[in-house]
Amino acid sequence: EPEVTQTPSHQVTQMGQEVILRCVPISNHLYFYWYRQILGQKVEFLVSFYNNEISEKSEIFDDQFSVERPDGSNFTLKIRSTKLEDSAMYFCASRDPSLGPQHFGDGTRLSIL
Amino acid sequence: QKEVEQDPGPLSVPEGAIVSLNCTYSNSAFQYFMWYRQYSRKGPELLMYTYSSGNKEDGRFTAQVDKSSKYISLFIRDSQPSDSATYLCFGAGGTSYGKLTFGQGTILTVHP
């Protein structure tokens, strides 16, 4: 069964450094999402992306964050200058054009030192 | 008011028990309903996806939607320790079909 894949599974970065999290959505999906989950808390929406532009973003998704679909298969989340509070699991999700359910990857654990 | 309210749990049951997980929703435009399961440090995994009212069965899992009472249920038969996870319910449809707004879900523990 097709699945969403995320790399790396664990990323350790120094505070202030830039980090790029990568996702390969399911191939025929057109809607893409990033969520994050701080340890012990609920999953929070960050941003949705469709037709090469952001369709919705949360208050968490400030100027330090950006998303890109650089080619036909990858979807990336960039954090420009990481902070300690960016430490979390980051999940990518995708959805097909017929408005089916979202499918999630297994996440990238981001640890900021 | 949240669009979907879930029984908070936690729920602890012995192996083999029938588990009932329940949610209510307020948005009458919802037509699609989803149950996800999330294991610790893993991504949410789609368990059941149903349209409109009625039952849908998949192995030991049955999803039930009652649109007249705006009630969503997930039943797990012959529960196993591997079913121990957080379960989350969602509705979608009308103008509400984009991001998923997560609650805390219901933490289920099935003990041997």
Side-chain angles (χ1 to χ4, degrees), chain A residues 21-56:
Chain A
L21 309 182
R22 290 184 165 81
C23 170
V24 179
I26 295 172
S27 63
N28 66 328
H29 286 190
L30 297 181
Y31 297 82
F32 312 110
Y33 307 84
W34 283 102
Y35 296 81
R36 80 170 186 192
Q37 187 174 29
I38 294 170
L39 188 64
Q41 298 185 20
K42 62 185 181 183
V43 176
E44 300 172 287
F45 167 77
L46 291 178
V47 66
S48 57
F49 190 86
Y50 170 70
N51 200 25
N52 279 319
E53 59 183 32
I54 290 173
S55 44
E56 188 177 358

Side-chain angles (χ1 to χ4, degrees), chain B:
Chain B
Q1 182 191 11
K2 291 182 191 172
E3 288 192 310
V4 179
E5 300 270 2
Q6 185 167 357
D7 286 353
L11 208 53
S12 180
V13 301
E15 184 175 354
I18 296 173
V19 175
S20 171
L21 302 167
N22 304 295
C23 298
T24 57
Y25 66 94
S26 57
N27 190 334
S28 301
F30 282 170
Q31 295 178 295
Y32 303 91
F33 303 91
M34 294 153 280
W35 283 95
Y36 286 82
R37 174 176 65 191
Q38 187 179 22
Y39 292 113
S40 180
R41 294 187 176 248
K42 290 285 192 180
E45 171 194 3
L46 180 69
L47 265 183
M48 301 289 274
Y49 178 62
T50 57
Y51 172 73
S52 198
S53 278
N55 291 0
K56 180 176 180 180
E57 192 173 316
D58 184 2
R60 296 183 296 109
F61 297 88
T62 300
Q64 194 172 79
V65 176
D66 182 345
K67 292 191 80 178
S68 62
S69 59
K70 296 191 177 67
Y71 206 76
I72 320 165
S73 298
L74 179 72
F75 298 97
I76 308 174
R77 288 184 301 282
D78 188 25
S79 55
Q80 303 294 309
S82 58
D83 296 327
S84 298
T86 299
Y87 290 79
L88 301 128
C89 58
F90 299 93
T95 57
S96 177
Y97 216 124
K99 67 185 182 190
L100 293 177
T101 302
F102 282 74
Q104 296 287 2
T106 301
I107 298 173
L108 172 66
T109 303
V110 181
H111 49 87

Side-chain angles (χ1 to χ4, degrees), chain A:
Chain A
E1 186 173 316
E3 57 181 25
V4 176
T5 55
Q6 291 186 243
T7 54
S9 57
H10 188 197
Q11 173 82 46
V12 181
T13 302
Q14 292 288 332
M15 186 172 60
Q17 296 296 303
E18 174 183 287
V19 67
I20 296 176
L21 309 182
R22 290 184 165 81
C23 170
V24 179
I26 295 172
S27 63
N28 66 328
H29 286 190
L30 297 181
Y31 297 82
F32 312 110
Y33 307 84
W34 283 102
Y35 296 81
R36 80 170 186 192
Q37 187 174 29
I38 294 170
L39 188 64
Q41 298 185 20
K42 62 185 181 183
V43 176
E44 300 172 287
F45 167 77
L46 291 178
V47 66
S48 57
F49 190 86
Y50 170 70
N51 200 25
N52 279 319
E53 59 183 32
I54 290 173
S55 44
E56 188 177 358
K57 60 183 180 179
S58 71
E59 290 178 355
I60 303 167
F61 195 89
D62 62 22
D63 292 344
Q64 295 301 312
F65 290 87
S66 62
V67 289
E68 193 179 30
R69 188 154 162 80
D71 53 42
S73 58
N74 291 282
F75 180 51
T76 61
L77 174 70
K78 183 195 289 187
I79 309 174
R80 256 178 282 281
S81 178
T82 50
K83 304 190 271 285
L84 292 175
E85 55 264 37
D86 293 327
S87 295
M89 287 288 288
Y90 287 80
F91 298 111
C92 172
S94 68
R95 179 162 67 88
D96 73 24
S98 68
L99 303 183
Q102 292 181 32
H103 294 263
F104 286 79
D106 264 342
T108 293
R109 182 155 68 102
L110 178 62
S111 299
I112 308 299
L113 305 179

